Amino acid sequence: MNDDIQTELNSLERERDKKSPAMDSRPLTDDSTATASPRRRRTIDVKVQIDHNDVSRRSGAHHERVLTSITRYLLVDNFMVMDNQDGISRSVVDVPPAHYVVKVQLFSLLTKNSIERYESGNFEAGGYKWKLVLYPNGNKSKNVKDHISLYLALDEASSLHHGWEIYVNFRLFLHDQNNDNYLVVQDSVRKERRFHKMKVEWGFDQFIPLKDFNLASKGYLVDDACAFGAEVFVCRERSTGKGECLVMMKEAIAYKHLCEFDLSTLDSECLDSKPFNAGNYTWKIKLYPKGKSAELGSSLSLYLALADPSTLSPSSKIYAQIILRILDQKQAKHHFGKGNYWFSASSHENGASRFLLISIFTNQNSGYLVKDTCLVEAEITILGVVDALA
């Protein structure tokens, strides 16, 4: 190799060292007083391919040098570290994973039996329960091909309070049975991954190429058996506060309820029906025969209300379509009103103050009031519900 090519190679190596420093692959320690020993680092191999292309120019002939690939392997504190440009560090260690190991016998039968995803049993680390999630032929939901996908998942995440976050450093392992050591895959900058109720899984879509995994000389799959593992280090936890969840109903169901009101004696300005259930909530119809507020004395007022709004939390709301009908008991020419409303603990009654003119309601020919009795039907369709995030 001539001097100018060597100079170019050395310059490229120095530039790469600045951009991608090798990472210490030892597990994190909880001992804040521990002093890290100086990192011993030496290059043990450099492979270079040079393509020389002679180009003739007026000023004379010269060589155009193209550096096509450089693969560097660094020995760091007895760990073999392979530098990467994709933000992922792959290293080789002698110590098995501290927290969990999944051994698979007859690995090839996973595919033959259409097992695209395998979840391990749970294990505890850092005060939480975790599990490994393995895709033997890659995570198809992320369009992964020709690789094994491997992830760390937070188990029983539903038990977490909303807003609770867990920041984690983790390493995933693959046993090399030929050399009795372990391939370790982790984020190259040891980035903390944030686990919470809505993000319970982190890992590597392209954990290892299948061609490397299946290669006998690599030692990962021997006699159709292999072993994966994990180490999990919880760095910190925090709560982000309160929240709510709006759930819209894809196939809303309409509930109907018919009430009979006796108007022969009016002890109060408002008549309440007996409570009834519709869509997991308890309701009642409120009838104001002489009107309410500005419509007092001119129009009948009719409302649908939550029977016991105190049972709702302050953040809970119900979005419903309601249809209220006063039935015509003679000619079936019913009078109705329709609307969409939000119901909550603070706004638990919706309807119309000007529902029907009193003069029409009391007219003997109308059929709305027969023998001092009127029939009112409520039709309720729950369209959406808002609840506090647990």
Side-chain angles (χ1 to χ4, degrees), residues 101-127:
V101 173
V102 177
K103 293 184 178 180
V104 183
Q105 302 286 344
L106 299 177
F107 182 86
S108 61
L109 293 185
L110 294 177
T111 300
K112 290 182 180 179
N113 289 290
S114 302
I115 299 177
E116 296 182 355
R117 171 188 170 101
Y118 173 74
E119 293 186 6
S120 75
N122 63 40
F123 61 95
E124 189 168 339

PDB file of all heavy atoms in Angstrom, residues 101-127:
ATOM      1  N   VAL A 101     -33.131 -15.946  30.446  1.00  0.00           N
ATOM      2  CA  VAL A 101     -32.683 -16.705  29.273  1.00  0.00           C
ATOM      3  C   VAL A 101     -33.864 -17.493  28.723  1.00  0.00           C
ATOM      4  O   VAL A 101     -34.627 -18.098  29.484  1.00  0.00           O
ATOM      5  CB  VAL A 101     -31.529 -17.670  29.628  1.00  0.00           C
ATOM      6  CG1 VAL A 101     -31.200 -18.571  28.441  1.00  0.00           C
ATOM      7  CG2 VAL A 101     -30.291 -16.894  30.053  1.00  0.00           C
ATOM      8  N   VAL A 102     -34.016 -17.476  27.415  1.00  0.00           N
ATOM      9  CA  VAL A 102     -35.027 -18.283  26.725  1.00  0.00           C
ATOM     10  C   VAL A 102     -34.297 -19.266  25.815  1.00  0.00           C
ATOM     11  O   VAL A 102     -33.649 -18.862  24.852  1.00  0.00           O
ATOM     12  CB  VAL A 102     -35.981 -17.415  25.882  1.00  0.00           C
ATOM     13  CG1 VAL A 102     -36.971 -18.297  25.123  1.00  0.00           C
ATOM     14  CG2 VAL A 102     -36.729 -16.437  26.763  1.00  0.00           C
ATOM     15  N   LYS A 103     -34.383 -20.554  26.138  1.00  0.00           N
ATOM     16  CA  LYS A 103     -33.788 -21.588  25.297  1.00  0.00           C
ATOM     17  C   LYS A 103     -34.865 -22.174  24.387  1.00  0.00           C
ATOM     18  O   LYS A 103     -35.974 -22.451  24.834  1.00  0.00           O
ATOM     19  CB  LYS A 103     -33.167 -22.688  26.155  1.00  0.00           C
ATOM     20  CG  LYS A 103     -31.959 -22.227  26.962  1.00  0.00           C
ATOM     21  CD  LYS A 103     -31.326 -23.383  27.730  1.00  0.00           C
ATOM     22  CE  LYS A 103     -30.084 -22.918  28.491  1.00  0.00           C
ATOM     23  NZ  LYS A 103     -29.458 -24.036  29.244  1.00  0.00           N
ATOM     24  N   VAL A 104     -34.523 -22.349  23.128  1.00  0.00           N
ATOM     25  CA  VAL A 104     -35.477 -22.877  22.153  1.00  0.00           C
ATOM     26  C   VAL A 104     -34.912 -24.156  21.555  1.00  0.00           C
ATOM     27  O   VAL A 104     -33.831 -24.146  20.964  1.00  0.00           O
ATOM     28  CB  VAL A 104     -35.762 -21.860  21.028  1.00  0.00           C
ATOM     29  CG1 VAL A 104     -36.810 -22.422  20.072  1.00  0.00           C
ATOM     30  CG2 VAL A 104     -36.215 -20.529  21.611  1.00  0.00           C
ATOM     31  N   GLN A 105     -35.621 -25.247  21.723  1.00  0.00           N
ATOM     32  CA  GLN A 105     -35.274 -26.512  21.093  1.00  0.00           C
ATOM     33  C   GLN A 105     -36.103 -26.672  19.815  1.00  0.00           C
ATOM     34  O   GLN A 105     -37.277 -26.311  19.782  1.00  0.00           O
ATOM     35  CB  GLN A 105     -35.567 -27.680  22.045  1.00  0.00           C
ATOM     36  CG  GLN A 105     -34.841 -27.606  23.383  1.00  0.00           C
ATOM     37  CD  GLN A 105     -33.356 -27.924  23.260  1.00  0.00           C
ATOM     38  OE1 GLN A 105     -32.904 -28.468  22.260  1.00  0.00           O
ATOM     39  NE2 GLN A 105     -32.593 -27.568  24.289  1.00  0.00           N
ATOM     40  N   LEU A 106     -35.486 -27.208  18.772  1.00  0.00           N
ATOM     41  CA  LEU A 106     -36.156 -27.388  17.481  1.00  0.00           C
ATOM     42  C   LEU A 106     -36.725 -26.055  16.983  1.00  0.00           C
ATOM     43  O   LEU A 106     -37.922 -25.901  16.738  1.00  0.00           O
ATOM     44  CB  LEU A 106     -37.251 -28.451  17.584  1.00  0.00           C
ATOM     45  CG  LEU A 106     -36.769 -29.864  17.976  1.00  0.00           C
ATOM     46  CD1 LEU A 106     -37.942 -30.810  18.109  1.00  0.00           C
ATOM     47  CD2 LEU A 106     -35.765 -30.384  16.954  1.00  0.00           C
ATOM     48  N   PHE A 107     -35.834 -25.093  16.854  1.00  0.00           N
ATOM     49  CA  PHE A 107     -36.204 -23.742  16.438  1.00  0.00           C
ATOM     50  C   PHE A 107     -36.943 -23.744  15.099  1.00  0.00           C
ATOM     51  O   PHE A 107     -37.869 -22.953  14.886  1.00  0.00           O
ATOM     52  CB  PHE A 107     -34.939 -22.885  16.346  1.00  0.00           C
ATOM     53  CG  PHE A 107     -35.178 -21.456  15.971  1.00  0.00           C
ATOM     54  CD1 PHE A 107     -35.478 -20.511  16.935  1.00  0.00           C
ATOM     55  CD2 PHE A 107     -35.105 -21.047  14.640  1.00  0.00           C
ATOM     56  CE1 PHE A 107     -35.702 -19.188  16.597  1.00  0.00           C
ATOM     57  CE2 PHE A 107     -35.322 -19.729  14.292  1.00  0.00           C
ATOM     58  CZ  PHE A 107     -35.621 -18.794  15.271  1.00  0.00           C
ATOM     59  N   SER A 108     -36.560 -24.620  14.188  1.00  0.00           N
ATOM     60  CA  SER A 108     -37.163 -24.639  12.852  1.00  0.00           C
ATOM     61  C   SER A 108     -38.652 -24.951  12.885  1.00  0.00           C
ATOM     62  O   SER A 108     -39.398 -24.585  11.972  1.00  0.00           O
ATOM     63  CB  SER A 108     -36.443 -25.652  11.961  1.00  0.00           C
ATOM     64  OG  SER A 108     -36.561 -26.962  12.505  1.00  0.00           O
ATOM     65  N   LEU A 109     -39.100 -25.631  13.953  1.00  0.00           N
ATOM     66  CA  LEU A 109     -40.517 -25.994  14.032  1.00  0.00           C
ATOM     67  C   LEU A 109     -41.408 -24.796  14.356  1.00  0.00           C
ATOM     68  O   LEU A 109     -42.629 -24.876  14.195  1.00  0.00           O
ATOM     69  CB  LEU A 109     -40.726 -27.089  15.080  1.00  0.00           C
ATOM     70  CG  LEU A 109     -40.113 -28.456  14.746  1.00  0.00           C
ATOM     71  CD1 LEU A 109     -40.499 -29.480  15.796  1.00  0.00           C
ATOM     72  CD2 LEU A 109     -40.556 -28.925  13.359  1.00  0.00           C
ATOM     73  N   LEU A 110     -40.820 -23.694  14.816  1.00  0.00           N
ATOM     74  CA  LEU A 110     -41.631 -22.494  15.038  1.00  0.00           C
ATOM     75  C   LEU A 110     -42.271 -22.048  13.728  1.00  0.00           C
ATOM     76  O   LEU A 110     -43.466 -21.763  13.663  1.00  0.00           O
ATOM     77  CB  LEU A 110     -40.768 -21.369  15.616  1.00  0.00           C
ATOM     78  CG  LEU A 110     -40.198 -21.581  17.022  1.00  0.00           C
ATOM     79  CD1 LEU A 110     -39.308 -20.409  17.405  1.00  0.00           C
ATOM     80  CD2 LEU A 110     -41.316 -21.743  18.042  1.00  0.00           C
ATOM     81  N   THR A 111     -41.463 -22.008  12.684  1.00  0.00           N
ATOM     82  CA  THR A 111     -41.978 -21.605  11.375  1.00  0.00           C
ATOM     83  C   THR A 111     -42.925 -22.649  10.811  1.00  0.00           C
ATOM     84  O   THR A 111     -43.992 -22.319  10.276  1.00  0.00           O
ATOM     85  CB  THR A 111     -40.810 -21.369  10.403  1.00  0.00           C
ATOM     86  OG1 THR A 111     -39.967 -20.339  10.929  1.00  0.00           O
ATOM     87  CG2 THR A 111     -41.322 -20.957   9.036  1.00  0.00           C
ATOM     88  N   LYS A 112     -42.552 -23.921  10.938  1.00  0.00           N
ATOM     89  CA  LYS A 112     -43.396 -24.986  10.387  1.00  0.00           C
ATOM     90  C   LYS A 112     -44.763 -25.025  11.057  1.00  0.00           C
ATOM     91  O   LYS A 112     -45.749 -25.442  10.445  1.00  0.00           O
ATOM     92  CB  LYS A 112     -42.694 -26.331  10.544  1.00  0.00           C
ATOM     93  CG  LYS A 112     -41.475 -26.492   9.638  1.00  0.00           C
ATOM     94  CD  LYS A 112     -40.848 -27.868   9.794  1.00  0.00           C
ATOM     95  CE  LYS A 112     -39.639 -28.012   8.875  1.00  0.00           C
ATOM     96  NZ  LYS A 112     -38.986 -29.347   9.022  1.00  0.00           N
ATOM     97  N   ASN A 113     -44.819 -24.585  12.308  1.00  0.00           N
ATOM     98  CA  ASN A 113     -46.090 -24.576  13.035  1.00  0.00           C
ATOM     99  C   ASN A 113     -46.739 -23.190  13.064  1.00  0.00           C
ATOM    100  O   ASN A 113     -47.611 -22.920  13.894  1.00  0.00           O
ATOM    101  CB  ASN A 113     -45.884 -25.082  14.466  1.00  0.00           C
ATOM    102  CG  ASN A 113     -45.613 -26.574  14.502  1.00  0.00           C
ATOM    103  OD1 ASN A 113     -46.494 -27.383  14.229  1.00  0.00           O
ATOM    104  ND2 ASN A 113     -44.379 -26.940  14.823  1.00  0.00           N
ATOM    105  N   SER A 114     -46.282 -22.324  12.157  1.00  0.00           N
ATOM    106  CA  SER A 114     -46.892 -20.994  11.957  1.00  0.00           C
ATOM    107  C   SER A 114     -46.857 -20.127  13.211  1.00  0.00           C
ATOM    108  O   SER A 114     -47.784 -19.358  13.479  1.00  0.00           O
ATOM    109  CB  SER A 114     -48.341 -21.140  11.466  1.00  0.00           C
ATOM    110  OG  SER A 114     -48.391 -21.878  10.266  1.00  0.00           O
ATOM    111  N   ILE A 115     -45.785 -20.258  13.993  1.00  0.00           N
ATOM    112  CA  ILE A 115     -45.617 -19.387  15.161  1.00  0.00           C
ATOM    113  C   ILE A 115     -44.802 -18.177  14.710  1.00  0.00           C
ATOM    114  O   ILE A 115     -43.579 -18.232  14.612  1.00  0.00           O
ATOM    115  CB  ILE A 115     -44.922 -20.127  16.320  1.00  0.00           C
ATOM    116  CG1 ILE A 115     -45.771 -21.318  16.759  1.00  0.00           C
ATOM    117  CG2 ILE A 115     -44.680 -19.177  17.493  1.00  0.00           C
ATOM    118  CD1 ILE A 115     -45.144 -22.152  17.854  1.00  0.00           C
ATOM    119  N   GLU A 116     -45.496 -17.089  14.417  1.00  0.00           N
ATOM    120  CA  GLU A 116     -44.828 -15.882  13.935  1.00  0.00           C
ATOM    121  C   GLU A 116     -44.314 -15.016  15.079  1.00  0.00           C
ATOM    122  O   GLU A 116     -43.390 -14.225  14.888  1.00  0.00           O
ATOM    123  CB  GLU A 116     -45.784 -15.069  13.062  1.00  0.00           C
ATOM    124  CG  GLU A 116     -46.212 -15.797  11.788  1.00  0.00           C
ATOM    125  CD  GLU A 116     -47.118 -14.952  10.926  1.00  0.00           C
ATOM    126  OE1 GLU A 116     -47.485 -13.837  11.374  1.00  0.00           O
ATOM    127  OE2 GLU A 116     -47.456 -15.393   9.814  1.00  0.00           O
ATOM    128  N   ARG A 117     -44.924 -15.168  16.254  1.00  0.00           N
ATOM    129  CA  ARG A 117     -44.544 -14.353  17.415  1.00  0.00           C
ATOM    130  C   ARG A 117     -44.574 -15.234  18.658  1.00  0.00           C
ATOM    131  O   ARG A 117     -45.548 -15.960  18.885  1.00  0.00           O
ATOM    132  CB  ARG A 117     -45.521 -13.179  17.569  1.00  0.00           C
ATOM    133  CG  ARG A 117     -45.369 -12.375  18.861  1.00  0.00           C
ATOM    134  CD  ARG A 117     -46.514 -11.379  18.981  1.00  0.00           C
ATOM    135  NE  ARG A 117     -46.574 -10.750  20.296  1.00  0.00           N
ATOM    136  CZ  ARG A 117     -46.134  -9.537  20.577  1.00  0.00           C
ATOM    137  NH1 ARG A 117     -45.610  -8.800  19.620  1.00  0.00           N
ATOM    138  NH2 ARG A 117     -46.232  -9.040  21.795  1.00  0.00           N
ATOM    139  N   TYR A 118     -43.516 -15.169  19.440  1.00  0.00           N
ATOM    140  CA  TYR A 118     -43.471 -15.927  20.687  1.00  0.00           C
ATOM    141  C   TYR A 118     -43.165 -14.977  21.839  1.00  0.00           C
ATOM    142  O   TYR A 118     -42.209 -14.196  21.781  1.00  0.00           O
ATOM    143  CB  TYR A 118     -42.409 -17.023  20.640  1.00  0.00           C
ATOM    144  CG  TYR A 118     -42.236 -17.711  21.982  1.00  0.00           C
ATOM    145  CD1 TYR A 118     -43.191 -18.610  22.440  1.00  0.00           C
ATOM    146  CD2 TYR A 118     -41.150 -17.413  22.808  1.00  0.00           C
ATOM    147  CE1 TYR A 118     -43.069 -19.211  23.683  1.00  0.00           C
ATOM    148  CE2 TYR A 118     -41.015 -18.014  24.051  1.00  0.00           C
ATOM    149  CZ  TYR A 118     -41.984 -18.912  24.483  1.00  0.00           C
ATOM    150  OH  TYR A 118     -41.867 -19.496  25.719  1.00  0.00           O
ATOM    151  N   GLU A 119     -43.982 -15.043  22.890  1.00  0.00           N
ATOM    152  CA  GLU A 119     -43.764 -14.255  24.097  1.00  0.00           C
ATOM    153  C   GLU A 119     -43.295 -15.176  25.216  1.00  0.00           C
ATOM    154  O   GLU A 119     -43.929 -16.197  25.494  1.00  0.00           O
ATOM    155  CB  GLU A 119     -45.050 -13.545  24.523  1.00  0.00           C
ATOM    156  CG  GLU A 119     -45.512 -12.477  23.556  1.00  0.00           C
ATOM    157  CD  GLU A 119     -46.711 -11.708  24.091  1.00  0.00           C
ATOM    158  OE1 GLU A 119     -47.089 -11.945  25.266  1.00  0.00           O
ATOM    159  OE2 GLU A 119     -47.261 -10.875  23.351  1.00  0.00           O
ATOM    160  N   SER A 120     -42.211 -14.799  25.854  1.00  0.00           N
ATOM    161  CA  SER A 120     -41.682 -15.604  26.951  1.00  0.00           C
ATOM    162  C   SER A 120     -42.529 -15.412  28.204  1.00  0.00           C
ATOM    163  O   SER A 120     -43.401 -14.538  28.265  1.00  0.00           O
ATOM    164  CB  SER A 120     -40.239 -15.197  27.244  1.00  0.00           C
ATOM    165  OG  SER A 120     -40.204 -13.946  27.924  1.00  0.00           O
ATOM    166  N   GLY A 121     -42.237 -16.218  29.213  1.00  0.00           N
ATOM    167  CA  GLY A 121     -42.803 -15.956  30.527  1.00  0.00           C
ATOM    168  C   GLY A 121     -42.210 -14.678  31.089  1.00  0.00           C
ATOM    169  O   GLY A 121     -41.204 -14.163  30.590  1.00  0.00           O
ATOM    170  N   ASN A 122     -42.820 -14.150  32.149  1.00  0.00           N
ATOM    171  CA  ASN A 122     -42.313 -12.885  32.674  1.00  0.00           C
ATOM    172  C   ASN A 122     -41.174 -13.114  33.664  1.00  0.00           C
ATOM    173  O   ASN A 122     -41.023 -14.189  34.236  1.00  0.00           O
ATOM    174  CB  ASN A 122     -43.434 -12.046  33.292  1.00  0.00           C
ATOM    175  CG  ASN A 122     -44.093 -12.716  34.486  1.00  0.00           C
ATOM    176  OD1 ASN A 122     -43.435 -13.324  35.316  1.00  0.00           O
ATOM    177  ND2 ASN A 122     -45.413 -12.601  34.586  1.00  0.00           N
ATOM    178  N   PHE A 123     -40.364 -12.093  33.818  1.00  0.00           N
ATOM    179  CA  PHE A 123     -39.277 -12.102  34.791  1.00  0.00           C
ATOM    180  C   PHE A 123     -39.182 -10.716  35.406  1.00  0.00           C
ATOM    181  O   PHE A 123     -39.646  -9.727  34.835  1.00  0.00           O
ATOM    182  CB  PHE A 123     -37.950 -12.501  34.134  1.00  0.00           C
ATOM    183  CG  PHE A 123     -37.490 -11.575  33.040  1.00  0.00           C
ATOM    184  CD1 PHE A 123     -36.596 -10.541  33.294  1.00  0.00           C
ATOM    185  CD2 PHE A 123     -37.954 -11.741  31.741  1.00  0.00           C
ATOM    186  CE1 PHE A 123     -36.172  -9.690  32.285  1.00  0.00           C
ATOM    187  CE2 PHE A 123     -37.533 -10.897  30.713  1.00  0.00           C
ATOM    188  CZ  PHE A 123     -36.641  -9.872  30.991  1.00  0.00           C
ATOM    189  N   GLU A 124     -38.603 -10.644  36.587  1.00  0.00           N
ATOM    190  CA  GLU A 124     -38.556  -9.380  37.317  1.00  0.00           C
ATOM    191  C   GLU A 124     -37.169  -8.762  37.233  1.00  0.00           C
ATOM    192  O   GLU A 124     -36.150  -9.449  37.362  1.00  0.00           O
ATOM    193  CB  GLU A 124     -38.949  -9.582  38.777  1.00  0.00           C
ATOM    194  CG  GLU A 124     -39.124  -8.268  39.537  1.00  0.00           C
ATOM    195  CD  GLU A 124     -39.783  -8.455  40.894  1.00  0.00           C
ATOM    196  OE1 GLU A 124     -40.454  -9.486  41.092  1.00  0.00           O
ATOM    197  OE2 GLU A 124     -39.628  -7.561  41.744  1.00  0.00           O
ATOM    198  N   ALA A 125     -37.152  -7.460  36.998  1.00  0.00           N
ATOM    199  CA  ALA A 125     -35.902  -6.699  36.999  1.00  0.00           C
ATOM    200  C   ALA A 125     -36.236  -5.251  37.297  1.00  0.00           C
ATOM    201  O   ALA A 125     -37.149  -4.682  36.695  1.00  0.00           O
ATOM    202  CB  ALA A 125     -35.188  -6.811  35.654  1.00  0.00           C
ATOM    203  N   GLY A 126     -35.530  -4.676  38.247  1.00  0.00           N
ATOM    204  CA  GLY A 126     -35.739  -3.274  38.588  1.00  0.00           C
ATOM    205  C   GLY A 126     -37.091  -2.980  39.196  1.00  0.00           C
ATOM    206  O   GLY A 126     -37.571  -1.841  39.138  1.00  0.00           O
ATOM    207  N   GLY A 127     -37.730  -4.002  39.775  1.00  0.00           N
ATOM    208  CA  GLY A 127     -39.022  -3.792  40.413  1.00  0.00           C
ATOM    209  C   GLY A 127     -40.207  -3.930  39.480  1.00  0.00           C
ATOM    210  O   GLY A 127     -41.349  -3.708  39.898  1.00  0.00           O
TER     211      GLY A 127
END
